[in-house]
Amino acid sequence: MNPAAHAFIRGLHNLRPWHRGCVATIGSFDGVHLGHQAILRQLMDVSRHYNLPAVVIVFEPQPHEFFSGDKAPARLMRLREKVQALLAAGVARVLCVQFNEALRKLTAEAFIETVLLDGLDIKHLVVGDDFRFGCDRRGDFALLQKIGAERGFGVTDTCTLEINGERVSSTRIRHLLEMGDFAQAETLLGKPYSISGRIAYGQQLGRKLGVPTANVHLRRYRSPLHGVFTVSARFVDGSVHQGVANVGVRPTVTGDKKPLLEVHLFDFSRKVYGAMIDVVFHTKLRDEKKFNSLDELQTQLQADIAQGQAFFRRDTAPMN
């Protein structure tokens, strides 16, 4: 295998000599929205100018998650989805640096030395002029330019993308999703909002209630979505199926802390445990709620299904 091929590098300890010599950017890239895509195009231009690989540096957990835990803002996508989107955008490598106590304690100068120079030997860095780093928060754009001039790497500011007079940001997209404005979220993301994952074997409760579901564990404290939605689900074979989905903690059944995505597909009977699924969200039907009994839950699920089927019938009805 060509060591220069597209790759995901987890941790500084997995950097190898052939990873040195690159251009890079740093950020959370949560959602890989149109603003992020503009930065990536800028990075790719620099990559072509220097004829060097383009590298995106991300952190896991994200810094605000490290400091805030389960009070941190919901993620728009999981790490796997983010890496896939970044590599699909054309970058050569994604370096995921573990954000832990050791990294938190690094000064700005030590971060530059350890990660950017010793680790990657960067030749150019694309980063926002409001970027702050280091345990003392002394690291900023001016410091990067100063050390870059001394150590032989360039630094340029990232471009800012605005739509309708507002900056495109992950925070803005989270708000739109919370409001159920999937059309505007799609405008900022550049594609419909979706959640991808592997279907897991569940408790089979949905099947017992006559509403079998494909379950995807989101493995995060919070989700940007909560409630019941109309969805379309795409499998790796390219087939697309309509249905309804619940995103939440299932208060009637277990009251889990971490959210679960449960998808019921209309007129679908295939066994798909272990398969990858990409679930696209269209409209919100209702909030998640706790029912007094499983009979009440079953009645509501049937109403959700009927409402979802009606949505898709309207959506595909011919125009007069």
Side-chain angles (χ1 to χ4, degrees):
M1 177 181 174
N2 180 358
H6 287 193
F8 171 56
I9 307 164
R10 185 185 284 275
L12 295 173
H13 62 283
N14 282 318
L15 286 172
R16 298 293 181 262
W18 57 80
H19 294 140
R20 292 174 55 79
C22 64
V23 300
T25 188
I26 305 173
S28 68
F29 287 89
D30 188 25
V32 193
H33 52 61
L34 291 183
H36 294 143
Q37 292 169 37
I39 293 170
L40 295 174
R41 287 193 296 271
Q42 185 179 354
L43 179 68
M44 297 305 296
D45 287 342
V46 175
S47 170
R48 286 186 287 270
H49 174 78
Y50 284 92
N51 194 27
L52 288 172
V55 176
V56 174
I57 304 169
V58 298
F59 300 99
E60 190 69 24
Q62 295 174 157
H64 58 261
E65 293 172 337
F66 178 84
F67 292 109
S68 302
D70 59 3
K71 293 181 174 59
R75 287 193 184 200
L76 295 175
M77 56 172 41
R78 291 182 291 172
L79 178 62
R80 176 195 289 269
E81 297 170 283
K82 182 191 302 185
V83 171
Q84 290 173 341
L86 290 170
L87 294 178
V91 304
R93 303 181 191 112
V94 178
L95 170 62
C96 180
V97 178
Q98 183 181 9
F99 199 97
N100 52 22
E101 273 296 320
L103 189 73
R104 186 191 72 81
K105 292 178 180 178
L106 286 181
T107 64
E109 290 84 357
F111 177 88
I112 294 171
E113 194 70 35
T114 302
V115 178
L116 302 183
L117 295 175
D118 291 347
L120 290 171
D121 187 24
I122 66 163
K123 303 304 179 186
H124 200 96
L125 182 69
V126 178
V127 68
D129 61 8
D130 59 351
F131 181 60
R132 297 290 185 274
F133 63 101
C135 65
D136 48 11
R137 301 289 288 171
R138 279 189 55 249
D140 59 11
F141 191 77
L143 180 66
L144 285 165
Q145 286 186 311
K146 175 180 178 295
I147 295 181
E150 296 169 353
R151 300 296 298 276
F153 66 87
V155 184
T156 53
D157 184 12
T158 56
C159 53
T160 297
L161 180 67
E162 292 187 352
I163 293 180
N164 298 327
E166 291 187 70
R167 178 174 170 268
V168 178
S169 70
S170 301
T171 299
R172 186 177 167 197
I173 293 169
R174 284 188 204 98
H175 176 70
L176 290 168
L177 293 176
E178 289 172 1
M179 299 294 292
D181 192 343
F182 292 103
Q184 185 62 16
E186 178 177 349
T187 297
L188 303 189
L189 284 164
K191 63 176 184 177
Y193 180 73
S194 67
I195 295 177
S196 300
R198 192 173 299 279
I199 298 172
Y201 192 83
Q203 296 176 318
Q204 302 295 293
L205 179 61
R207 189 171 298 277
K208 293 174 184 175
L209 295 175
V211 186
T213 59
N215 300 334
V216 177
H217 294 287
L218 301 184
R219 305 191 189 283
R220 51 190 170 194
Y221 287 115
R222 299 179 61 193
S223 167
L225 296 178
H226 302 276
V228 178
F229 305 86
T230 57
V231 299
S232 297
R234 180 183 298 274
F235 290 88
V236 292
D237 63 3
S239 62
V240 179
H241 305 269
Q242 298 167 342
V244 293
N246 181 82
V247 182
V249 295
R250 303 189 297 170
T252 305
V253 182
T254 60
D256 293 335
K257 184 177 182 181
K258 292 186 178 180
L260 179 72
L261 168 61
E262 301 172 286
V263 185
H264 172 74
L265 302 175
F266 306 144
D267 304 317
F268 186 87
S269 58
R270 287 164 44 193
K271 291 185 178 180
V272 288
Y273 297 118
M276 293 298 296
I277 189 173
D278 184 42
V279 182
V280 175
F281 293 81
H282 300 295
T283 60
K284 184 171 183 176
L285 298 179
R286 64 174 174 87
D287 290 330
E288 187 178 44
K289 62 176 290 187
K290 184 174 182 177
F291 295 93
N292 294 321
S293 68
L294 291 180
D295 286 341
E296 277 191 24
L297 173 60
Q298 185 177 33
T299 299
Q300 182 61 60
L301 292 177
Q302 293 300 330
D304 295 337
I305 291 170
Q307 192 176 353
Q309 290 172 329
F311 165 79
F312 285 110
R313 283 197 298 270
R314 289 195 304 270
D315 199 46
T316 56
M319 298 293 289
N320 292 327

